[in-house]
Amino acid sequence: MSALTFSTEKSSSPAAGYVGGAVTVLIWATWILATRHSAATKLGTIDIGLIRYGIPAIALAPVWLKTGLLPKQVPLKILALMVTGAGAVFFQLTTHAIHSTPAASAGILLGGSMPLATALIGVVLFKERPDITRWVGLGAIVVGVTILLLRSLSDASLPGTSFILLPAGAVLWACYTHAFRRSGLTAIQASALIAIWSFLINLALAFVFGTSLMEVPLPEIGLQALSQGLLSGLAATVAYGIAVQRLGGTQAATFTAITPVLATIGGGVLLGEEIGFAEIAAAVITGAGVALSTGILSKR
């Protein structure tokens, strides 16, 4: 493995970034549905956190053993932002909210907020200047998310905490996106460090508050191991890292706006949630916004 180098430049070849972004949102939509499903089991957020980060921590052990838990080349505040933004804190906040929030609404409040939070942080703190095409794309995402949000507000059972915890999770993920881009780490190195630190944090939480893993049937653990550990914790984290490296933080984050559309469809098909004209319109508008804001149609 090569030495760590610091760079905020995007790769000259964006194709892998588009693939990474697409893979990420497909997995995230599945993650929201699997997390929502786990609310009906004995699995608590700490239990799921152990699965989510334990599997990639073991799989990527050769990587974090080589870099060390505190790589000297990475500023501590950057590493802390990454672990907080994409690790244990992010996961506990969002999972707690998703357990009591319909899948469609969770996708809107989390996935729909991510690209907007990332873009605002990029503009305000890092003086990024998206071109007019990307601004139009972000505007379309806002319209699509607003349609879904207004539709979800008709559900009186939607808890008020969802409007706080899920957007807060989106801001944390936006912080991770910008921190990772400036860390000098590869996607696999970042994934390994986030996994091991988050696993240790969840292990400490389990020691204090206990765990119900031994009381859950093996098929249920297997489902979460696949969706949380292998797909979300390992594959999606690496794929998103590649998207950030190839496209830049703001453009990569716009892919997450597809998540509410997929979560809405999945919620309708798998969880019995209603899909109507509003959901279809939001899907079309949001999809167009993603295409524009990722820079696919922009002049390079």
Side-chain angles (χ1 to χ4, degrees):
M1 187 176 297
S2 60
L4 304 182
T5 57
F6 291 88
S7 174
T8 62
E9 295 298 321
K10 295 181 288 186
S11 168
S12 59
S13 177
Y18 296 134
V19 174
V23 169
T24 299
V25 296
L26 287 172
I27 293 175
W28 276 2
T30 303
W31 164 64
I32 290 176
L33 296 175
T35 302
R36 177 67 177 149
H37 165 76
S38 69
T41 72
K42 291 185 177 181
L43 287 170
T45 59
I46 296 174
D47 303 319
I48 303 173
L50 289 171
I51 297 173
R52 160 97 175 209
Y53 297 106
I55 292 176
I58 294 172
L60 299 176
V63 180
W64 58 260
L65 285 172
K66 188 166 186 177
T67 63
L69 293 180
L70 297 171
K72 294 181 180 179
Q73 300 91 330
V74 181
L76 185 58
K77 63 180 180 180
I78 292 292
L79 181 61
L81 278 174
M82 290 173 56
V83 174
T84 301
V89 176
F90 164 83
F91 184 79
Q92 289 299 322
L93 282 179
T94 55
T95 302
H96 177 77
I98 291 172
H99 270 181
S100 58
T101 307
S105 300
I108 297 163
L109 293 170
L110 181 61
S113 300
M114 283 179 177
L116 305 178
T118 306
L120 288 175
I121 290 174
V123 169
V124 174
L125 297 183
F126 301 110
K127 310 302 180 184
E128 293 182 359
R129 294 293 179 264
D131 60 24
I132 186 63
T133 303
R134 292 194 174 102
W135 278 120
V136 172
L138 287 171
I141 291 173
V142 171
V143 172
V145 170
T146 300
I147 291 173
L148 286 176
L149 182 57
L150 291 175
R151 173 66 179 82
S152 70
L153 289 177
S154 62
D155 184 359
S157 65
L158 189 64
T161 53
S162 302
F163 292 92
I164 299 174
L165 296 181
L166 292 174
V171 173
L172 286 176
W173 190 269
C175 292
Y176 155 69
T177 298
H178 287 290
F180 166 65
R181 191 182 172 202
R182 289 158 177 81
S183 69
L185 295 167
T186 66
I188 293 179
Q189 287 172 331
S191 299
L193 289 170
I194 291 169
I196 183 58
W197 275 111
S198 297
F199 176 69
L200 293 174
I201 293 171
N202 278 281
L203 199 62
L205 291 174
F207 180 78
V208 175
F209 298 104
T211 176
S212 302
L213 279 176
M214 301 304 295
E215 304 174 19
V216 179
L218 285 178
E220 185 61 42
I221 292 180
L223 172 64
Q224 297 300 327
L226 174 62
S227 63
Q228 302 283 355
L230 292 175
L231 293 178
S232 300
L234 182 58
T237 306
V238 174
Y240 185 77
I242 292 173
V244 172
Q245 288 180 322
R246 297 300 180 94
L247 302 177
T250 300
Q251 289 93 311
T254 58
F255 275 92
T256 62
I258 304 175
T259 304
V261 177
L262 297 179
T264 298
I265 295 173
V269 174
L270 300 177
L271 303 179
E273 297 178 1
E274 182 181 352
I275 299 179
F277 176 77
E279 287 78 10
I280 297 173
V284 174
I285 295 172
T286 304
V290 169
L292 293 172
S293 56
T294 52
I296 293 177
L297 303 180
S298 298
K299 294 181 179 180
R300 296 190 175 277

